[in-house]
Amino acid sequence: MVVGPTHHQPLSSLFFSPPPHSKSAAIITVPLDLPRTRPGHSRFRCSAGQTGFFSKLGRLIKEKAKSDVDKLFSGFSKTRDNLAVVDELLLYWNLSETDRVLDELEEALLVADFGPKITIKIVECLREDIYAGKLKSGSEIKDALKRSVLELLTTKGTKMELQLGFRKPAVIMIVGVNGGGKTTSLGKLAHRLKKEGAKILMAAGDTFRAAASDQLEIWAERTGCEIVVAEKGKAKASSVLSKAVKRGKQGGFDVVLCDTSGRLHTNYSLMEELIACKNAVGKVVAGAPNEILLVLDGTTGLNMLPQAREFNENLQWQVVGITGLILTKLDGSARGGCVVSVVDELGIPVKFVGVGEGVEDLQPFDAEAFVSAVFS
């Protein structure tokens, strides 16, 4: 049973009454007629303590990424198997076979979905350094290959850690097409942030798909987070997210995670809705949302690029502004090279990668760990 207001129900009871069927998730419905904030109500102010909290949270997540390298390593096993030929090629390398070895290396990178542009760039740089006498052994060539990939990831994909600003609550919007793992990624992100000590509020902003709210409620119960949902069929997504962020401020939440309707870049009405959602939360907390994360299905490999490119280049989408990527389902793919391609193509950092079905398997992306995982 979802808690909903009556005409005489006080606002405080709407926000703080837990549903009787759940011990771990408080479900809050959003009506259309909630009173607006009182005139003259003091604006939200940030303190140094809040700045320190978000800095510490970001540092903890980054440190966790370093310590979870084994999970990332296993998650990219299929891509690593594809690239195992690199070691075989370089083990007995000699100068006279340079062109043959580099041709086969090029093929291996293409099979792993590094993409033709990046593959040619890497191979030609290696060829130039080999003939210039800078690389004189197979191990030196492999080290140079790893450095090239790492440089591509860190030069264009800066700010890989979450940028949560200095005002509470920090607001993160999760966007993308249907079927990419958007709602699941939000649930796993909530689990990770809460595990590091953050107080999390979920917002069920996908008012388009019938089961989306139910799915997010399950994740709220599973992670022990509160959730704001709409009264069925009555509230716009922007209204739900606005009320959720207000609730986040009033309830002392650290982070509000906002789900949104899955959409194609060609669906202009839903794109406009997304802009409305962004504007709505920005009116509640200046500078919000702090992050807008685009979820992409990693099993599609390079096929995700046209979709991501269109999203990014779409005029309306530029107004919204993607700040980072979540690449999902990479444990089921041998095409992990697409991580490098999407960063090089879009210049947008990968923030998280999905490397399994477990709740712990949404991993903060670490460029060095990724390179080590695919070129062991």
Side-chain angles (χ1 to χ4, degrees):
M1 175 181 176
V2 176
V3 176
T6 66
H7 290 296
H8 304 290
Q9 186 176 7
L11 184 61
S12 60
S13 68
L14 166 67
F15 282 143
F16 292 101
S17 298
H21 77 287
S22 171
K23 295 181 180 178
S24 56
I27 303 175
I28 306 156
T29 57
V30 177
L32 293 180
D33 56 353
L34 277 178
R36 295 189 177 187
T37 304
R38 297 189 307 275
H41 185 69
S42 62
R43 291 180 60 82
F44 177 81
R45 295 179 181 178
C46 116
S47 69
Q50 291 172 352
T51 305
F53 174 82
F54 287 133
S55 297
K56 181 181 178 183
L57 183 62
R59 186 171 64 253
L60 285 171
I61 292 173
K62 193 171 183 179
E63 289 171 357
K64 186 68 173 174
K66 298 285 188 184
S67 64
D68 280 353
V69 66
D70 288 344
K71 195 174 286 288
L72 195 69
F73 191 84
S74 62
F76 283 99
S77 61
K78 291 186 178 180
T79 300
R80 185 167 59 255
D81 290 345
N82 257 0
L83 293 170
V85 67
V86 174
D87 286 329
E88 297 172 17
L89 289 171
L90 298 178
L91 183 61
Y92 301 109
W93 172 85
N94 61 72
L95 186 61
S96 64
E97 294 187 338
T98 294
D99 289 335
R100 179 190 65 80
V101 168
L102 290 180
D103 286 346
E104 293 189 36
L105 173 60
E106 181 178 310
E107 183 178 347
L109 293 176
L110 289 171
V111 168
D113 263 13
F114 277 79
K117 178 183 173 184
I118 289 176
T119 297
I120 292 171
K121 181 178 180 180
I122 290 173
V123 170
E124 290 309 310
C125 283
L126 292 175
R127 192 189 310 274
E128 184 177 326
D129 286 347
I130 289 169
Y131 285 124
K134 296 179 182 178
L135 303 175
K136 299 178 181 178
S137 69
S139 61
E140 288 182 356
I141 294 172
K142 184 176 180 180
D143 288 342
L145 169 62
K146 292 167 73 173
R147 283 196 303 272
S148 296
V149 174
L150 183 60
E151 185 178 349
L152 284 167
L153 288 170
T154 54
T155 301
K156 290 196 173 182
T158 57
K159 296 184 179 179
M160 285 177 275
E161 58 278 351
L162 287 175
Q163 306 295 309
L164 298 179
F166 55 91
R167 293 180 174 90
K168 285 189 180 182
V171 180
I172 301 174
M173 284 176 59
I174 309 293
V175 301
V177 301
N178 285 324
K182 182 168 50 64
T183 304
T184 299
S185 294
L186 187 151
K188 291 180 179 180
L189 181 56
H191 171 78
R192 179 170 287 279
L193 292 172
K194 186 171 183 182
K195 193 175 178 181
E196 302 301 342
K199 186 179 180 183
I200 305 299
L201 178 65
M202 295 182 182
D206 186 350
T207 57
F208 188 76
R209 183 167 63 94
S213 180
D214 294 339
Q215 184 184 356
L216 200 61
E217 284 179 32
I218 292 171
W219 272 107
E221 215 170 320
R222 187 176 180 184
T223 57
C225 296
E226 288 189 33
I227 180 172
V228 173
V229 301
E231 286 186 309
K232 293 183 179 178
K234 292 187 178 181
K236 292 182 178 179
S238 57
S239 175
V240 176
L241 300 192
S242 175
K243 297 299 193 297
V245 177
K246 287 177 182 176
R247 165 73 179 112
K249 287 177 64 175
Q250 294 166 352
F253 287 86
D254 298 310
V255 181
V256 179
L257 294 175
C258 302
D259 196 13
T260 60
S261 301
R263 67 203 70 225
L264 293 173
H265 64 279
T266 52
N267 191 324
Y268 295 109
S269 62
L270 284 177
M271 293 299 291
E272 288 173 357
E273 177 192 86
L274 200 58
I275 295 169
C277 288
K278 180 188 178 184
N279 293 338
V281 300
K283 289 177 182 178
V284 182
V285 175
N290 304 84
E291 292 273 12
I292 301 178
L293 304 181
L294 173 63
V295 177
L296 296 170
D297 184 345
T299 62
T300 62
L302 282 178
N303 291 329
M304 75 169 71
L305 268 177
Q307 176 194 108
R309 190 185 302 116
E310 290 293 334
F311 265 112
N312 196 46
E313 291 176 354
N314 184 285
L315 179 60
Q316 290 175 310
W317 191 267
Q318 286 181 331
V319 173
V320 174
I322 306 168
T323 60
L325 303 171
I326 298 176
L327 303 186
T328 63
K329 310 176 188 178
L330 286 168
D331 57 306
S333 172
R335 308 163 79 180
C338 65
V339 174
V340 187
S341 296
V342 75
V343 171
D344 183 69
E345 181 79 20
L346 302 178
I348 298 172
V350 176
K351 304 270 183 170
F352 293 90
V353 289
V355 292
E357 296 182 0
V359 70
E360 299 277 358
D361 292 332
L362 185 72
Q363 291 292 304
F365 182 71
D366 181 88
E368 290 184 20
F370 167 79
V371 172
S372 296
V374 297
F375 296 106
S376 61

